[in-house]
Amino acid sequence: MRFVFLGFLLACVGLVGCVPRSEKDVVVYSALDEDFAFPMLDAFERKVDYDINVISKFDVESTKTVGLVNQIMAEQDRARCDLFWNNEILHTVRLQKLGLLARHDWQVPKDWPVDMIASDSTWCGFAARARVLLVNTDRLKSAVDSAKSGKSAVYPSSVSELSDAKWKDDCAIARPLFGTTATHFAVLRELLGREAALAQLQAIADNALVLSGNKQVAQAVSAGRVAWGLTDTDDAMIEKDLGYPVEIVFPDQQPDQLGALRIPNTLAILKNAPHPVAASRLADYLMTPETEDRLAMGRSSQLPISKESKFPPAVLPSTPVRWMRADFEAAAEGWDEWAADVARIYADQ
């Protein structure tokens, strides 16, 4: 048994017929980083009772999810991908709305959160990252420490503070055109209303340091370039584990606030997948508490959705987190028009 990693070269497979694929192959397009996904795909290949090759396409660009989704769209008349493993959700929902995904009987409990499974059973979410505030503790003090020292510079507690003038040029956000930041504000559009969300994005663009990605935000905070920023838990944990003076804050935890947003990995089987049986078996293998525990134990410290998970990720605080109620399917509606509006705001950033 073996893995075949073809990277961008996979796009030519089938177009020129240079690499024939076995009927027992399953082709996975994965937006999850290779070092996280590979061990689980490798374990599946070793576990199955028939010879199967898992051919995985890993994209390393900052816009990797968009690139993979665009490739799936381009291939829709002659699908090459069997299973799409996305490390976020919004663009998976876009494929759902285009009718490019197949229904599947996901083997999850009946009480699986409604925002973590498609209304038509075409995708399922698991192992989430949370959107959090990362604070430089050399620059700022907690509320308790501030009370003791008499200083007033306390940690931010809400995403909305990115537009607060007191943090002018001292807070950071990833450009909200791709990835989890784009998903985050598409969700907020549904909760706040379109005009309110656009107004907030404009205020943030005028107030915060806008960087290319969540990793860059986390690094700017750990280096003390800014006092705090909005990022993902995996990028925040990397800086924390490296020993930088940072602390993770789960935002908007008061009763009158929206709560913290968690954005799951998603699995989806492509409609007209060349190898639907193998894809279904791999999907069922991955959609388990054991997979979530492995991701929770890794350095990305991802958040299990299953109540049967046995490993609490290190990123979670000691107190319960209030999670935002997100309607991802609604957030994906009118995506192209929404993305164009956001792009106009951030054109010069």
Side-chain angles (χ1 to χ4, degrees):
M1 301 182 194
R2 69 189 187 282
F3 280 86
V4 182
F5 292 101
L6 299 178
F8 285 103
L9 295 179
L10 186 62
C12 76
V13 176
L15 287 175
V16 297
C18 54
V19 183
R21 295 186 309 193
S22 164
E23 288 298 316
K24 293 182 181 179
D25 289 343
V26 55
V27 178
V28 181
Y29 284 7
S30 176
L32 184 68
D33 291 344
E34 181 175 347
D35 54 345
F36 298 138
F38 181 94
M40 280 163 283
L41 296 175
D42 183 51
F44 170 75
E45 190 177 22
R46 288 185 280 105
K47 181 181 178 67
V48 294
D49 56 7
Y50 56 89
D51 188 21
I52 185 168
N53 295 318
V54 181
I55 302 174
S56 302
K57 180 186 189 303
F58 292 98
D59 192 330
V60 297
E61 299 299 321
S62 60
T63 58
K64 56 187 173 183
T65 298
V66 176
L68 289 169
V69 167
N70 287 342
Q71 181 160 340
I72 289 170
M73 292 177 182
E75 296 170 350
Q76 60 183 286
D77 293 333
R78 189 182 177 188
R80 296 178 180 85
C81 175
D82 296 304
L83 183 71
F84 181 36
W85 183 347
N86 195 359
N87 67 343
E88 57 98 42
I89 187 170
L90 192 69
H91 292 287
T92 303
V93 177
R94 289 184 66 210
L95 294 176
Q96 171 198 7
K97 292 181 178 294
L98 290 171
L100 300 184
L101 305 181
R103 295 176 183 270
H104 181 67
D105 182 17
W106 298 100
Q107 302 300 300
V108 295
K110 292 182 179 179
D111 62 351
W112 204 254
V114 294
D115 60 340
M116 296 292 165
I117 190 166
S119 59
D120 60 0
S121 299
T122 53
W123 54 262
C124 194
F126 69 112
R129 290 173 291 167
R131 299 285 291 161
V132 293
L133 312 181
L134 187 65
V135 175
N136 185 300
T137 57
D138 283 347
R139 297 283 310 277
L140 300 176
K141 302 294 182 182
S142 69
V144 173
D145 291 337
S146 293
K148 291 179 179 178
S149 66
K151 295 181 179 179
S152 59
V154 299
Y155 293 175
S157 62
S158 174
V159 171
S160 64
E161 291 187 57
L162 286 163
S163 60
D164 191 324
K166 74 178 181 181
W167 300 114
K168 174 70 174 175
D169 297 328
D170 207 18
C171 59
I173 185 176
R175 188 175 290 107
L177 303 177
F178 307 104
T180 55
T181 310
T183 299
H184 193 159
F185 282 91
V187 169
L188 290 178
R189 180 197 69 196
E190 292 306 303
L191 294 171
L192 303 176
R194 184 185 190 88
E195 295 308 315
L198 287 173
Q200 185 177 80
L201 281 167
Q202 182 64 67
I204 291 171
D206 294 339
N207 194 67
L209 179 67
V210 180
L211 300 173
S212 59
N214 292 304
K215 178 180 180 180
Q216 287 71 28
V217 169
Q219 290 175 336
V221 174
S222 66
R225 182 180 174 191
V226 292
W228 65 278
L230 175 65
T231 187
D232 294 330
T233 42
D234 57 339
D235 292 309
M237 281 299 294
I238 289 172
E239 303 307 305
K240 190 175 179 67
D241 288 343
L242 287 172
Y244 288 106
V246 294
E247 186 169 331
I248 296 168
V249 176
F250 285 78
D252 298 298
Q253 295 298 290
Q254 296 304 311
D256 60 341
Q257 294 178 321
L258 295 174
L261 176 62
R262 54 182 178 178
I263 298 179
N265 282 260
T266 51
L267 293 178
I269 299 170
L270 271 293
K271 191 175 183 179
N272 301 321
H275 313 107
V277 175
S280 294
R281 189 167 185 184
L282 177 54
D284 290 343
Y285 174 82
L286 292 172
M287 191 61 64
T288 62
E290 291 74 22
T291 295
E292 292 198 300
D293 279 340
R294 291 187 69 169
L295 290 169
M297 288 185 286
R299 59 184 175 85
S300 62
S301 194
Q302 301 203 29
L303 310 168
I305 304 301
S306 174
K307 295 178 181 178
E308 298 177 12
S309 172
K310 298 177 181 178
F311 190 89
V315 71
L316 282 177
S318 57
T319 55
V321 177
R322 290 184 64 250
W323 298 116
M324 184 186 297
R325 294 186 178 183
D327 187 340
F328 294 111
E329 291 187 20
E333 289 285 354
W335 169 255
D336 291 337
E337 182 182 356
W338 170 253
D341 286 343
V342 177
R344 279 191 286 271
I345 294 173
Y346 286 81
D348 298 326
Q349 301 289 334

